[in-house]
């Protein structure tokens, strides 16, 4: 991910302009979509000014990319959050975080593959969207990568194409996720 410093003076008056800045920063629409668990079409729609994201998606973008939520939503202030600022090292904290997330998600994918399952992209995309939605609704600080094992469990619960869900397994999954989010909040407190 190419996280070079970008001047806030760049044209960023509209949400679409700010998304274009982020695309330039990260490298591509595909990379933003992959990192955040969104479809490429949704990110392109934001870039083209056709739609704006929900609050939950803005929060996901800001947290995942290590940018200011205020800058993303309103175009005010600086793009970089203070805790994600680089300390002069070649790789920024946001890059390190993204690499760690990629590694954890890759481990989950490898686990699924090693168990003899062929990766079903539709099923995996559905699992990613459901897990991200659950985390957003719980206003959890945990990321998809922090929950790679839960992603693998959810993938198993979903049937071919991600459309056939085992209801009792899903209830059990939600209870486990709730406990994990609760523990995460207790640790943060």
């Amino acid at each position: 991910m190419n996280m070079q410093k970008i001047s806030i003076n760049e044209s960023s008056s509209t949400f679409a302009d700010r998304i274009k800045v982020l695309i330039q920063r990260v490298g591509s629409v595909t990379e933003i979509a992959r990192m955040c668990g969104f479809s490429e079409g949704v990110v392109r729609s934001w870039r083209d000014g056709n739609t704006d994201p929900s609050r939950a998606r803005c929060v996901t973008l800001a947290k995942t990319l290590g940018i200011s939520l205020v800058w993303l939503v309103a175009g005010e202030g600086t793009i970089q959050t203070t805790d994600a600022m680089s300390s002069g090292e070649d790789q920024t904290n946001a890059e390190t975080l993204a690499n760690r997330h990629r590694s954890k998600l890759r481990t989950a994918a490898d686990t699924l593959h090693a168990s003899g399952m062929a990766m079903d992209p539709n099923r995996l995309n559905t699992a990613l969207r459901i897990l991200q939605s659950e985390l957003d609704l719980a206003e959890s600080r945990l990321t998809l990568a922090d929950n790679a094992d839960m992603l693998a469990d959810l993938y198993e619960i979903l049937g071919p194409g991600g459309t056939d869900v085992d209801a009792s397994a899903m209830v059990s999954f939600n209870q486990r996720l709730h406990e994990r989010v609760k523990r995460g909040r207790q640790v943060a407190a």
Side-chain angles (χ1 to χ4, degrees):
M1 180 167 67
N2 183 14
M3 297 288 281
Q4 74 259 11
K5 300 288 182 203
I6 293 182
S7 166
I8 196 66
N9 294 332
E10 290 189 42
S11 176
S12 58
S13 60
T14 67
F15 187 82
D17 291 334
R18 291 187 292 280
I19 288 296
K20 290 173 189 171
V21 168
L22 294 177
I23 292 167
Q24 180 184 2
R25 253 184 128 193
V26 172
S28 70
V29 167
T30 303
E31 185 66 9
I32 288 176
R34 190 191 61 70
M35 288 174 65
C36 297
F38 305 145
S39 74
E40 290 179 40
V42 165
V43 178
R44 281 190 200 99
S45 180
W46 299 337
R47 176 199 63 199
D48 298 340
N50 296 329
T51 60
D52 289 332
S54 66
R55 286 182 300 191
R57 286 189 168 183
C58 285
V59 169
T60 299
L61 271 167
K63 284 182 179 180
T64 303
L65 301 179
I67 60 168
S68 164
L69 183 59
V70 173
W71 177 84
L72 178 64
V73 173
E76 298 174 3
T78 62
I79 188 172
Q80 202 74 36
T81 59
T82 12
D83 60 342
M85 291 277 190
S86 170
S87 60
E89 299 170 1
D90 289 337
Q91 197 174 40
T92 65
N93 291 341
E95 283 177 304
T96 303
L97 182 63
N99 288 335
R100 187 175 21 188
H101 287 197
R102 272 188 224 115
S103 174
K104 287 182 180 179
L105 290 172
R106 192 172 298 117
T107 300
D110 291 345
T111 301
L112 290 170
H113 183 69
S115 69
M117 291 186 195
M119 291 298 288
D120 177 346
N122 291 332
R123 188 173 176 182
L124 182 59
N125 188 40
T126 299
L128 282 166
R129 285 194 330 256
I130 290 171
L131 183 54
Q132 184 63 61
S133 174
E134 294 289 335
L135 292 170
D136 289 345
L137 288 171
E139 296 179 350
S140 172
R141 290 186 175 169
L142 300 173
T143 65
L144 284 172
D146 294 329
N147 291 289
D149 60 324
M150 296 297 283
L151 178 61
D153 290 350
L154 186 55
Y155 182 91
E156 288 180 27
I157 292 169
L158 299 174
T163 58
D164 185 25
V165 179
D166 178 347
S168 61
M170 193 67 195
V171 169
S172 175
F173 170 83
N174 280 326
Q175 289 170 337
R176 289 191 318 272
L177 184 60
H178 171 76
E179 287 302 316
R180 181 170 291 181
V181 167
K182 192 166 127 183
R183 282 193 310 271
R185 285 189 181 137
Q186 290 169 347
V187 168

